[in-house]
Amino acid sequence: MRRRIMAANWKMYKNAAQTTNYFEQFKPLLANSNSPARCDIVIFPTSLSVPAAVVAAAGSSISIGGQNIYWERKGAFTGEVSGEMLHAAGATWVIVGHSERRQYFGETDGAVLKKTQSALEAGLNPIICVGERLEEHKSGKTAEVLVRQFAGGIAGLTEEQFSKVAIAYEPVWAIGTGQSATPHIAADAHRLIRSEADKRFGQEAAQAVRILYGGSVKPDNIEGFMRQDEIDGSLVGGASLDPQSFAKIVGAA
Ligand code: PEP
């Protein structure tokens, strides 16, 4: 069985002081469980709160990541942060191609590929997000969208690069809506993504890649997802902002 990843995407919430406070509550909740031994736990604060999170997580098995990077290493790119900078701040992971970045900041599959390559060069572990929008879901285009996003954003990696990424299937209609996909729908999408990986990178690589589900995961629905062998963890937004709630989710891994 693949080692699961339980990841918290804090989006644009929590300043440095709130981040420190969260860890003060969250770490003791993990101390009494064996979850850290069973899965990777990664928290993605805003870039500004990454240093506070790195300090607060020291001595625990919690890793810290950024929610986005730009693909260039440095230069006149006002407002951007590079993978190298994130890594130097102590982050070891990064989310690439989250649907909110695609929707509000025009991130394309081509950008996702460049950001992923750049993240790997900087020594970060990328979680690449894919997923269909509501109208695509309703019109039966999920497979088409996932195949296209895989072809444009992931297939251009080398085999070695692919072995270092994780993928998050996040149907856009399930993100922040309270309406999660069913475990069955998610597992079907994961199988499709894995079959695309098999075609491009071979069976061994496809079996090894970790695919997470994200979209309105809560303490009361996580167990259904975790019963599916296809689902290698979860990327959690809203329900990760409360330490008790995220600790319960992590406990289901
Ligand atoms: C996310 O932001 O990646 C996410 C899945 O959000 P939520 O859990 O709030 O749906």
Side-chain angles (χ1 to χ4, degrees):
M1 194 171 155
R2 294 170 290 266
R3 185 176 165 81
R4 284 180 161 153
I5 303 171
M6 303 307 268
N9 173 20
W10 284 359
K11 311 185 191 236
M12 202 171 71
Y13 293 102
K14 297 194 192 295
N15 61 24
Q18 291 163 333
T19 297
T20 304
N21 184 268
Y22 181 99
F23 276 85
E24 276 164 13
Q25 297 175 58
F26 183 62
K27 285 207 296 186
L29 297 172
L30 289 187
N32 301 326
S33 93
N34 61 358
S35 317
R38 288 207 315 264
C39 65
D40 293 335
I41 303 169
V42 193
I43 295 188
F44 294 89
T46 70
S47 296
L48 268 184
S49 294
V50 162
V54 168
V55 169
S60 77
S61 58
I62 306 163
S63 303
I64 305 302
Q67 298 171 14
N68 176 45
I69 52 165
Y70 189 52
W71 58 76
E72 294 289 350
R73 289 176 56 220
K74 58 184 172 183
F77 304 106
T78 302
E80 294 294 324
V81 169
S82 72
E84 251 177 40
M85 289 167 180
L86 201 54
H87 192 258
T92 48
W93 291 75
V94 66
I95 298 172
V96 183
H98 190 279
S99 67
E100 286 153 16
R101 297 228 41 101
R102 294 177 187 258
Q103 181 177 351
Y104 302 124
F105 303 98
E107 207 151 295
T108 61
D109 291 329
V112 168
L113 178 61
K114 286 203 267 188
K115 288 184 178 199
T116 303
Q117 289 164 330
S118 171
L120 290 165
E121 272 164 34
L124 296 167
N125 301 300
I127 298 181
I128 306 169
C129 301
V130 295
E132 79 286 2
R133 298 195 303 263
L134 181 62
E135 61 275 20
E136 294 163 334
H137 172 67
K138 281 187 172 159
S139 56
K141 291 197 174 130
T142 300
E144 186 185 315
V145 172
L146 295 178
V147 167
R148 190 186 67 227
Q149 290 178 335
F150 190 95
I154 303 176
L157 298 173
T158 65
E159 282 166 32
E160 202 206 329
Q161 287 170 334
F162 183 72
S163 71
K164 295 182 181 146
V165 308
I167 298 171
Y169 168 60
E170 297 211 306
V172 182
W173 47 271
I175 297 182
T177 59
Q179 183 158 26
S180 67
T182 63
H184 185 73
I185 289 178
D188 272 353
H190 286 214
R191 274 187 279 276
L192 185 123
I193 294 165
R194 213 175 282 290
S195 87
E196 289 308 292
D198 189 332
K199 283 184 225 158
R200 166 65 185 90
F201 297 104
Q203 194 187 8
E204 204 177 312
Q207 285 308 314
V209 70
R210 294 182 286 179
I211 307 179
L212 321 184
Y213 168 74
S216 294
V217 165
K218 310 270 181 244
D220 62 5
N221 65 15
I222 183 66
E223 279 173 12
F225 292 105
M226 293 299 96
R227 276 196 284 273
Q228 299 280 342
D229 285 348
E230 255 307 325
I231 300 182
D232 305 316
S234 186
L235 179 56
V236 186
S240 73
L241 291 168
D242 172 65
Q244 308 270 352
S245 157
F246 189 51
K248 280 188 197 144
I249 291 171
V250 168

